[in-house]
Amino acid sequence: MTERTTDDRARERDKGSKSERTRLRSGGRREVSRLDQPRELRRALLPRVPISNERFGVLSEKFARFMGTATFLIWMTIFVAVWLAWNTFAPEAAQFDPRSLNYTLLTLILSLQASYAAPLILLAQNRQDDRDRVGLEQDRARDERNLADTEFLTREVASLRLAMRETATRDFVRSELRSLLEEMEDRGYLRTEDDDEREDRPTA
């Protein structure tokens, strides 16, 4: 009986949730999103332009590098000088940015250039900072590997020195053999030259 009542309650709960979802879909203001169904794609107000961040970053870096060269400064100086000379000394009918208006168009162009140049330079600087950060991390990892290799080689050299110290040298072997011979002579296992001479003497 307990199992049946539990199953009945679960079925009633499922029916209630289904009826709630149906009511919300039909007359409610919001719909309950289900995980087993794909979401509908909503059209944006403005069309999305596919922009490659990497390509845009590379172009901004090229522009920033070009602005920091002497070539850009020379051509910019020539452009401004020609602009000012034309709109100052040319006939009034040929002037497109007269001096009487304080060169409004030139001021607008330079302001527009500065407003675009500053974010592009900042973007190029941020990309350079990211590259520097990655380079520092790689250098740190390389230094750690070099330090580990150096410590390993140091331990190997120390173990080789200890092994060389424990290795029997020629002088050590000779001293050991000499002490062994003396011990055998003292115990009588070996005959000395004095014993040979004594045996060679004739007995009276």
Side-chain angles (χ1 to χ4, degrees):
M1 293 296 292
T2 306
E3 294 179 356
R4 290 181 181 178
T5 54
T6 305
D7 294 339
D8 294 337
R9 289 177 183 176
R11 290 174 184 173
E12 290 177 359
R13 193 182 301 112
D14 293 340
K15 289 180 181 179
S17 60
K18 289 180 180 179
S19 61
E20 181 67 20
R21 285 197 296 269
T22 305
R23 184 181 63 80
L24 289 173
R25 287 178 183 175
S26 59
R29 295 182 179 178
R30 62 184 184 89
E31 293 184 359
V32 179
S33 60
R34 297 182 59 181
L35 298 178
D36 59 345
Q37 294 180 355
R39 296 181 61 182
E40 296 181 358
L41 296 178
R42 297 179 179 177
R43 294 183 179 179
L45 297 177
L46 297 176
R48 293 183 179 180
V49 180
I51 299 175
S52 176
N53 294 330
E54 185 65 23
R55 187 175 181 181
F56 185 77
V58 171
L59 292 176
S60 65
E61 287 180 349
K62 291 181 179 179
F63 180 76
R65 290 193 186 98
F66 176 69
M67 288 189 66
T69 59
T71 304
F72 175 79
L73 295 176
I74 292 172
W75 284 107
M76 193 67 187
T77 304
I78 294 172
F79 171 76
V80 174
V82 171
W83 186 290
L84 294 176
W86 179 267
N87 291 285
T88 302
F89 302 107
E92 293 183 0
Q95 294 179 5
F96 53 87
D97 189 17
R99 182 180 179 183
S100 60
L101 298 177
N102 295 323
Y103 308 108
T104 307
L105 184 58
L106 179 62
T107 305
L108 179 62
I109 291 174
L110 295 179
S111 300
L112 186 63
Q113 178 190 357
S115 64
Y116 275 96
L120 290 175
I121 292 173
L122 289 176
L123 177 60
Q125 185 177 1
N126 292 334
R127 286 173 59 86
Q128 185 63 36
D129 292 340
D130 294 338
R131 282 196 296 269
D132 293 340
R133 189 180 301 107
V134 172
L136 289 175
E137 291 177 357
Q138 292 178 354
D139 293 339
R140 187 180 297 108
R142 192 181 302 110
D143 293 339
E144 290 177 356
R145 289 195 299 269
N146 292 335
L147 180 60
D149 294 339
T150 303
E151 292 178 352
F152 174 75
L153 292 175
T154 303
R155 289 193 296 269
E156 290 295 322
V157 171
S159 62
L160 287 175
R161 287 181 177 178
L162 293 175
M164 290 297 295
R165 288 178 183 177
E166 295 177 356
T167 303
T169 59
R170 182 178 59 183
D171 297 334
F172 176 76
V173 173
R174 285 182 177 179
S175 62
E176 290 295 324
L177 289 175
R178 190 178 296 109
S179 61
L180 181 60
L181 288 174
E182 290 176 356
E183 184 179 356
M184 293 177 68
E185 288 176 356
D186 294 339
R187 292 185 180 183
Y189 295 118
L190 294 179
R191 299 178 62 182
T192 60
E193 294 180 356
D194 296 335
D195 295 336
D196 294 337
E197 289 178 359
R198 291 175 184 173
E199 289 181 359
D200 292 338
R201 290 178 184 176
T203 56

